[in-house]
Amino acid sequence: MKRDETIIILDFGSQYTQLIARRIRENKVFCEIVPFNQPVETYRERNLKGIVLSGGPSSVFDPGAPFCGKEVFELGVPVLGICYGLQLLGKLFKGEVERSQKREYGKAVIQIDRPEDLFFGVKDITVVWMSHGDHLSQLPAGYEVLAHTENIAYAGIGNREKRIFGLQFHPEVAHTEEGKKILQNFLFRICRCTGSWTTESFIETTIRQIREQVKDGQMVLGLSGGVDSSVCAILVNRAIGKQLHCIFVDNGLLRKNEVSEVISAFKDFDLNLIPVNASDRFLSELQGIVDPEEKRKIIGRVFIRVFEQEAEKIKGVEFLAQGTLYPDVIESTSFKGPSATIKSHHNVGGLPEEMNLKLIEPLRELFKDEVRELGRKLNLPEIILGRHPFPGPGLAVRILGEVTKERLSVLREADYIYISELKGMNLYNDIWQAFCVLLPVQSVGVMGDERTYENVIALRAVTSVDGMTADWARLPAEVLGRISNRIINQVKGVNRVVYDISSKPPATIEWE
């Protein structure tokens, strides 16, 4: 089957590599991030339209600096080097690269020298975003200057005959005023992409692939009610119908009314849904546990056991579907290069070997916003698609200290009031994530004429694009006051509410 036209991004460790991919996909062109040293044979035979060399933190002068092989430039497709990628072009093709006296970081004004190719339709003078310590000081043979700044003679270069181009700045970031136009020129004027990678084409192709792979086999999926697993379930259900068995484990750590809301949300999809109430089992295993990492391990281990037991009841199961997303894959894969493993994600590599099932991850090429768009095309309700992220261990990591039925009840009620108020004030959709945390301390208070010594609830709300960085949400004081009053008056056992004004970094979004 013919693959979608593809742009390959060779990753040299830039903090912006995923952003390059997002910008390309916004133009309906499929792209994939691979390690800088991945053999070209792995992507040579694809419907390859072009290659992007990402930036990176290294200097080309560093011992062991990441270099790709020259065979990358012999594939016959256009190449665009960004920042470190431009310096790499200079080094590989016998130009001159020099260490700068000081690192240039921030906005710069460039003058366009050749208003064609990359800079077709771009203003003669425009603002770009620089972030580099080295710079090109002499052009390689066959290259010409496309743009310059007051400090940088070679802000944009190109070899038109070989269709190899380089930019010293970052077109993918919002600070580069005409960055989108520059990338579009590379995609459509230079690489001749058609922009045919649409949600509809993805659905059609993926359904066909799942049917070809599964045939008459049976498949299981762990449905949590979150965006990823929900979209995955509906997409796979479109492909194989009742051959898919969705196991929804109630671990006793879910939010108020969550079980009934999830079951109700899927009732119109004719989904083969199997609810499993295992709350007592989870709570029993968590008794006396206060260490957050230990909580996570216990919850993960018990979930796998419960899931396995339910899956074993289904005859002929050969496949396991997971809602793994592209950032999960990137973050969980060591590239043996500059982008080292960041974390071990719960959706990647978590398949128990003893289950001996074939793993299918139909969303593993998509970002979160693309998954939400896919869900809308599949007619999933906004109550699912618009949900804030919710951790796999659930409320257990929002209760600092031991998890008990009583403490869960306090947190559930407080969280329900908080989220209800945000929705009622039309603030919920402006926030990336909002939740309550039950602290392991008690504080003195006065209720009526009596002295109290009760629980403290912390409110957390952050704004973010992708969750990798986040800022605390500036909720209006009157809204916070109303939420605090309701929680203290209506949730028995709480006499104090505080608001978390920490950003990520240095804090994380969740408390545990």
Side-chain angles (χ1 to χ4, degrees):
M1 184 184 69
K2 185 180 178 183
R3 289 184 62 94
D4 291 300
E5 56 185 11
T6 300
I7 299 291
I8 290 292
I9 302 172
L10 297 188
D11 179 23
F12 290 89
S14 171
Q15 61 180 318
Y16 301 131
T17 300
Q18 286 196 36
L19 188 55
I20 299 171
R22 294 174 69 87
R23 293 288 176 260
I24 291 173
R25 290 180 176 204
E26 285 170 3
N27 289 286
K28 296 182 169 51
V29 176
F30 178 70
C31 69
E32 185 176 348
I33 300 168
V34 304
F36 72 91
N37 54 1
Q38 182 162 314
V40 297
E41 288 72 24
T42 62
Y43 49 84
R44 185 197 300 274
E45 299 304 321
R46 302 183 191 184
N47 188 8
L48 190 61
K49 306 295 284 188
I51 292 174
V52 175
L53 313 178
S54 83
S58 300
S59 164
V60 292
F61 299 107
D62 290 344
F67 278 71
C68 60
K70 282 196 173 183
E71 62 270 18
V72 168
F73 306 95
E74 297 166 0
L75 292 169
V77 298
V79 177
L80 173 63
I82 296 174
C83 196
Y84 178 85
L86 174 141
Q87 296 153 23
L88 191 66
L89 294 176
K91 199 75 172 172
L92 287 172
F93 295 104
K94 297 182 169 47
E96 294 280 340
V97 180
E98 290 183 356
R99 291 187 182 275
S100 300
Q101 294 265 328
K102 66 176 185 176
R103 182 175 181 85
E104 186 175 20
Y105 184 83
K107 291 182 179 180
V109 177
I110 66 166
Q111 171 76 51
I112 306 302
D113 298 300
R114 296 297 300 266
E116 63 257 330
D117 299 321
L118 279 180
F119 296 108
F120 180 81
V122 175
K123 291 181 292 187
D124 290 345
I125 297 175
T126 186
V127 173
V128 299
W129 184 262
M130 294 282 188
S131 178
H132 64 96
D134 302 335
H135 66 273
L136 190 67
S137 58
Q138 182 176 317
L139 283 173
Y143 285 76
E144 58 185 325
V145 182
L146 304 182
H148 70 276
T149 72
E150 185 178 345
N151 299 320
I152 301 293
Y154 307 118
I157 66 171
N159 183 322
R160 302 182 71 191
E161 181 184 350
K162 294 184 176 179
R163 298 188 297 167
I164 301 175
F165 299 87
L167 300 172
Q168 185 55 76
F169 58 90
H170 289 273
E172 70 274 19
V173 303
H175 303 295
T176 296
E177 291 180 350
E178 297 198 73
K180 289 183 180 180
K181 179 67 175 175
I182 293 167
L183 285 175
Q184 285 170 348
N185 283 337
F186 178 68
L187 295 173
F188 300 115
R189 298 187 67 83
I190 297 171
C191 297
R192 302 295 181 186
C193 294
T194 61
S196 59
W197 192 65
T198 63
T199 306
E200 290 83 0
S201 68
F202 177 84
I203 292 172
E204 181 183 336
T205 301
T206 305
I207 286 176
R208 185 166 61 247
Q209 289 172 340
I210 292 171
R211 285 174 179 165
E212 289 173 357
Q213 186 173 357
V214 176
K215 296 185 174 64
D216 297 326
Q218 302 294 308
M219 182 187 298
V220 289
L221 176 147
L223 182 67
S224 69
V227 175
D228 306 342
S229 68
S230 298
V231 173
C232 183
I234 298 306
L235 182 60
V236 176
N237 187 57
R238 282 257 186 118
I240 61 173
K242 293 295 185 180
Q243 291 168 248
L244 173 67
H245 307 266
C246 297
I247 300 172
F248 176 35
V249 178
D250 176 7
N251 58 13
L253 308 170
L254 303 177
R255 291 163 289 194
K256 186 174 180 178
N257 301 329
E258 190 156 13
V259 174
S260 58
E261 286 177 358
V262 169
I263 292 172
S264 175
F266 289 100
K267 70 179 187 300
D268 295 329
F269 288 93
D270 196 27
L271 200 64
N272 200 353
L273 183 59
I274 306 168
V276 181
N277 188 344
S279 54
D280 289 343
R281 184 170 177 179
F282 279 87
L283 288 176
S284 174
E285 294 271 358
L286 288 168
Q287 189 173 351
I289 305 298
V290 298
D291 179 74
E293 193 57 33
E294 188 63 21
K295 287 184 199 174
R296 289 178 181 273
K297 288 178 180 177
I298 289 170
I299 293 165
R301 184 175 68 244
V302 176
F303 175 83
I304 288 172
R305 287 176 184 168
V306 172
F307 187 84
E308 283 178 322
Q309 288 169 1
E310 291 301 317
E312 286 170 1
K313 297 175 184 177
I314 303 165
K315 291 183 179 180
V317 173
E318 300 175 47
F319 300 91
L320 171 70
Q322 285 189 162
T324 309
L325 303 193
Y326 198 37
D328 305 336
V329 176
I330 296 167
E331 291 183 354
S332 302
T333 304
S334 173
F335 282 174
K336 296 183 175 61
S339 292
T341 300
I342 298 170
K343 66 178 180 178
S344 178
H345 192 273
H346 65 89
N347 265 350
V348 181
L351 173 64
E353 291 181 8
E354 61 270 22
M355 287 186 74
N356 197 29
L357 298 179
K358 298 165 189 168
L359 183 61
I360 290 182
E361 298 169 307
L363 310 180
R364 67 180 286 117
E365 294 177 339
L366 303 184
F367 288 100
K368 192 80 167 187
D369 55 336
E370 295 168 334
V371 172
R372 284 200 168 98
E373 177 61 25
L374 175 60
R376 291 185 179 97
K377 294 292 183 183
L378 294 169
N379 298 318
L380 265 168
E382 283 298 322
I383 193 173
I384 295 290
L385 295 177
R387 290 175 72 184
H388 290 178
F390 188 61
L395 297 179
V397 291
R398 294 176 179 174
I399 293 177
L400 275 58
E402 185 180 5
V403 179
T404 66
K405 280 188 176 180
E406 294 72 26
R407 301 190 79 204
L408 277 165
S409 178
V410 169
L411 181 58
R412 270 199 195 97
E413 292 302 321
D415 193 75
Y416 182 76
I417 290 170
Y418 183 26
I419 299 304
S420 297
E421 285 293 332
L422 292 178
K423 288 180 177 177
M425 298 282 184
N426 293 319
L427 294 169
Y428 184 81
N429 292 332
D430 297 331
I431 296 168
W432 169 266
Q433 197 169 357
F435 55 90
C436 290
V437 181
L438 180 60
L439 303 188
V441 295
Q442 292 183 307
S443 72
V444 175
V446 178
M447 302 184 84
D449 293 324
E450 295 183 3
R451 180 178 182 274
T452 62
Y453 193 59
E454 293 182 332
N455 293 295
V456 179
I457 287 286
L459 306 179
R460 181 72 158 143
V462 298
T463 56
S464 181
V465 174
D466 53 17
M468 300 185 80
T469 61
D471 195 12
W472 60 278
R474 272 63 172 176
L475 294 179
E478 59 271 20
V479 172
L480 289 172
R482 177 179 169 85
I483 292 167
S484 175
N485 286 337
R486 278 197 63 191
I487 290 174
I488 291 172
N489 289 329
Q490 296 176 26
V491 182
K492 187 176 180 180
V494 176
N495 69 356
R496 190 177 300 271
V497 174
V498 298
Y499 189 55
D500 182 352
I501 58 169
S502 311
S503 296
K504 176 187 179 182
T508 54
I509 296 177
E510 297 283 349
W511 279 45
E512 283 191 348

